Amino acid sequence: QVQLVESGGGLVQAGGSLRLSCAASGAIFSMNTMAWFRRAPGNSREFVAAISRSLSRTFYADAVKGRFTISGDNAKNTVYLQMNSLETADTAVYFCAAARSYNLMSNDYAYDWWGQGTLVTVSS
């Protein structure tokens, strides 16, 4: 089993920045792809970004490309999401996810483990 714990959410003004962290524990050898998703109020969960276990491949949703950066530190078993130029539309609960698959996937059903989420609120 894999446990994922997100941190770093909070309140920020539009145009500001936040960095989210996702610490993994447990059977981390099973994880080959990690990702961030988000769920805005009244919306379904949507893909944000994914990264390979090797940290050499990344994949972003169009809505965040150029503003958000996903990265990782395998020594710390942690994945990060650096969010810059935040917009009010970025307000959501952000979830960390991990998958056995080596593919960088945008479908949430493809991921095997999920964190509880961390709230990001962007004010105007």
Side-chain angles (χ1 to χ4, degrees):
Q1 192 65 296
V2 171
Q3 293 79 42
L4 303 172
V5 179
E6 303 96 333
S7 61
L11 174 64
V12 63
Q13 285 193 323
S17 298
L18 275 178
R19 188 177 80 156
L20 305 182
S21 299
C22 173
S25 61
I28 57 175
F29 55 86
S30 299
M31 303 179 338
N32 293 299
T33 297
M34 293 191 73
W36 289 95
F37 286 78
R38 66 186 181 185
R39 180 186 289 129
N43 289 358
S44 57
R45 191 161 52 189
E46 67 172 355
F47 171 75
V48 175
I51 190 167
S52 61
R53 183 184 181 94
S54 66
L55 308 181
S56 62
R57 296 181 295 130
T58 58
F59 175 43
Y60 294 92
D62 288 344
V64 306
K65 202 172 295 184
R67 299 188 299 123
F68 291 11
T69 302
I70 188 170
S71 63
D73 185 337
N74 282 337
K76 296 181 179 179
N77 297 322
T78 300
V79 170
Y80 305 99
L81 185 68
Q82 177 66 43
M83 305 185 294
N84 298 329
S85 302
L86 282 161
E87 304 167 354
T88 55
D90 296 317
T91 294
V93 177
Y94 283 72
F95 298 90
C96 178
R100 295 182 180 89
S101 174
Y102 289 90
N103 296 321
L104 303 186
M105 304 156 292
S106 59
N107 296 312
D108 60 358
Y109 58 75
Y111 288 81
D112 301 291
W113 300 282
W114 292 86
Q116 293 299 306
T118 185
L119 177 62
V120 172
T121 304
V122 183
S123 64
S124 59

